[in-house]
Amino acid sequence: MRICFVLPGVARQPVGGYKMAYEYANRLVKENHDVSILYLNQDFLKKYRMPSYLKRIGANLITKIEPKWFLLDKRIKKVSSLDVNYKKKLGKLDICFATSAEKTVEEVNNNLRAKKKYYLIQDYENWNMSDSELIETYKLNFKKIVIADWLKKIVDKYSNENSILIPNAIDSKIYRVTVPIQDRPSHTIALLYHEAPHKGLKNAFKVLEGLKKQYPDLKVIMFGKFDKPKLPNWIKYYKGASQEQTVKIYNSVKVFLCSTIEEGYGLTGIEAMSCGACLVSTNYKGVREYAINGRNALLSPVGDVEAQINNVARIFENEKLQNEISENGILDAKKFTWEEAMKKFNDAISLGK
C-alpha cells in the first residue's frame, strides 16, 4: 500500500509524537509498503521577511536533510508542502495519516486524496485551540488510532465510531540496561526539560531544590529540544540528545523524575524504566498506561512537590525498594513490544483495503 504520514513541519530536535510516526514509517517500509512523509512547512521561517521562493528552497532543503536525531529509513520519501509539486510526488495514496490536531487534520481532510484517512491521536491537544475546536476534529470521518485508554474514552464520546487503541511501543533491544542500578552513583536524577506548562517543570525544579538540601552531592541530568537554560552547576543539560545519548543518560542515574501535569503517554518515562532507572512520577493520566504505583514506579498526586521529594528519598534510602522498582520496570516495559504494536497497526490499516 502507498501510505503517507502528515507532520506539522520539520522537527530539528527530538519530539515524541514525531518519533512514533517515524517508528511506524520505518516498520511499514520494511514490510514493503510505499511510505512517504509530508511536512507542512507553511510556517517555515515565517518570522523572517524574505521572498517566498527562498523560503521554499530552504524548506525543501531542510526536508531532505532532517531528521538528524532519528535514523529514518532511506526508502521513505520526504516531501515538503512548499514544493509546488508535492501532491504529484505523493502520488495516489491508499492511506493518509493526520498526526496532530493542528494543521495536519485540515490538510488530510481538505487537500489530500486517499482511499482511507486515519488520525493518529497521541494527546488531548488543546494547547493552541479551544476544546470545542479540538472535539470537532474527533467528529471527522477518519479512522482513529489512540495511544492511551484515557484518550480513547474521550475520542469515542465524540467520534462516529470507536477508536482503535494501540499503546506506544518500546524497543527493549535499544532501551536496555547497560549499567546495573547498583553500580550507578547514589544520588542521581534525570528528567526531560520541556517549557510547555503542562509538562510541570516548575514543580520539578522545586522537587530538585528540596532534594539538594537533603543530599548536597545530588547530581541531575536534563535533556530536551530547547536551548540550554540557566541552571546551577549541579545540573547538566543536553540539547537535542540522540537516542544513544538518552540511553546512556537513563543508565547513569538511579531516578527518572517526571512532574507532568497532563500528557498523553509520557514516552521518556517508559524508556527510562526499560533502562532500569526508577520512575518517580506524578500520577497523571498518561503514565497510568504503563506505571503501577509501588510495583514499577512511585506515583504521587499531580502538583504535590513534597510527595515527590519523599518518593525520590525513598528510592535513595531503601536499596531493596530501589532494586524492586528497577527490576519490575525493566520487566513491565518489555510487554510494550513493537511486534504487538505492528500487529494491531496492520490490523487497523487492513480495514482500509
Side-chain angles (χ1 to χ4, degrees):
M1 287 192 287
R2 185 168 284 182
I3 302 170
C4 178
F5 291 88
V6 183
L7 292 172
V10 175
R12 303 186 70 181
Q13 303 291 344
V15 178
Y18 279 62
K19 182 177 181 180
M20 297 313 296
Y22 290 156
E23 292 278 8
Y24 279 117
N26 272 358
R27 285 166 172 79
L28 288 166
V29 83
K30 287 175 183 173
E31 294 176 355
N32 297 317
H33 294 291
D34 184 337
V35 182
S36 59
I37 295 173
L38 173 63
Y39 294 98
L40 302 184
N41 289 327
Q42 292 92 327
D43 294 334
F44 182 73
L45 297 177
K46 69 175 182 178
K47 62 181 179 181
Y48 298 100
R49 298 183 66 181
M50 61 174 64
S52 59
Y53 79 92
L54 286 178
K55 289 187 179 182
R56 185 167 62 251
I57 292 170
N60 291 344
L61 177 62
I62 206 75
T63 296
K64 287 180 180 179
I65 65 175
E66 293 289 348
K68 293 180 180 178
W69 54 270
F70 185 93
L71 189 59
L72 196 64
D73 194 299
K74 292 181 180 178
R75 291 171 289 180
I76 296 170
K77 186 190 304 176
K78 297 183 292 180
V79 181
S80 168
S81 63
L82 294 188
D83 187 321
V84 291
N85 296 314
Y86 82 91
K87 291 183 182 179
K88 185 177 180 180
K89 287 186 176 181
L90 292 176
K92 293 182 180 179
L93 298 172
D94 293 302
I95 291 175
C96 191
F97 276 92
T99 62
S100 64
E102 286 186 85
K103 296 171 67 173
T104 73
V105 165
E106 182 180 359
E107 177 71 20
V108 172
N109 192 46
N110 298 328
N111 299 328
L112 295 179
R113 297 184 66 182
K115 291 179 182 178
K116 277 290 179 182
K117 297 182 178 183
Y118 284 75
Y119 185 4
L120 179 58
I121 302 172
Q122 303 189 65
D123 208 336
Y124 187 75
E125 301 174 85
N126 63 344
W127 311 297
N128 296 313
M129 61 174 63
S130 67
D131 285 353
S132 59
E133 288 172 319
L134 177 60
I135 288 166
E136 286 302 311
T137 71
Y138 300 156
K139 295 178 181 178
L140 293 171
N141 192 29
F142 293 178
K143 299 282 184 182
K144 285 100 180 171
I145 294 175
V146 297
I147 64 163
D149 186 60
W150 74 271
L151 273 173
K152 178 175 174 58
K153 290 173 182 174
I154 295 173
V155 173
D156 289 357
K157 190 188 302 183
Y158 302 103
S159 179
N160 59 352
E161 62 178 328
N162 287 342
S163 59
I164 300 161
L165 172 62
I166 308 178
N168 281 343
I170 186 167
D171 190 339
S172 58
K173 293 176 183 176
I174 294 172
Y175 293 97
R176 61 187 182 88
V177 177
T178 58
V179 180
I181 194 165
Q182 299 88 348
D183 297 339
R184 303 176 191 182
S186 296
H187 304 138
T188 47
I189 297 174
L191 67 157
L192 177 69
Y193 178 89
H194 202 295
E195 294 179 353
H198 69 278
K199 297 287 188 174
L201 196 68
K202 286 184 179 180
N203 288 338
F205 275 118
K206 292 177 183 177
V207 173
L208 295 176
E209 288 165 4
L211 288 166
K212 185 65 175 175
K213 292 175 182 177
Q214 292 185 40
Y215 304 98
D217 63 339
L218 182 72
K219 300 292 183 186
V220 177
I221 301 175
M222 287 184 171
F223 59 93
K225 66 178 182 177
F226 300 90
D227 291 335
K228 182 180 179 180
K230 290 183 179 179
L231 296 169
N233 59 12
W234 47 274
I235 300 179
K236 193 169 186 177
Y237 182 75
Y238 292 88
K239 179 185 176 183
S242 66
Q243 186 177 73
E244 184 181 5
Q245 283 178 311
T246 56
V247 170
K248 286 182 179 178
I249 291 169
Y250 295 143
N251 271 276
S252 70
V253 298
K254 296 276 192 181
V255 169
F256 186 80
L257 179 68
C258 177
S259 299
T260 290
I261 295 167
E262 195 57 90
E263 192 171 354
Y265 191 83
L267 196 58
T268 53
I270 194 170
E271 288 175 353
M273 282 170 51
S274 190
C275 292
C278 296
L279 178 62
V280 175
S281 176
T282 50
N283 191 18
Y284 66 94
K285 292 176 183 175
V287 80
R288 298 174 202 161
E289 300 298 314
Y290 55 84
I292 302 169
N293 186 41
R295 173 178 164 78
N296 59 23
L298 293 183
L299 306 178
S300 55
V302 172
D304 192 334
V305 170
E306 284 302 317
Q308 282 211 292
I309 291 173
N310 292 336
N311 279 344
V312 174
R314 287 174 65 196
I315 296 294
F316 285 169
E317 301 292 340
N318 187 333
E319 187 174 341
K320 182 175 181 290
L321 176 65
Q322 182 185 118
N323 290 337
E324 286 177 357
I325 296 292
S326 176
E327 289 169 8
N328 289 334
I330 297 164
L331 188 67
D332 292 348
K334 288 180 179 177
K335 298 174 184 176
F336 294 82
T337 66
W338 272 110
E339 289 76 16
E340 183 65 20
M342 285 306 298
K343 182 181 181 297
K344 291 177 180 178
F345 197 87
N346 281 318
D347 286 345
I349 64 175
S350 70
L351 301 173
K353 287 186 178 179

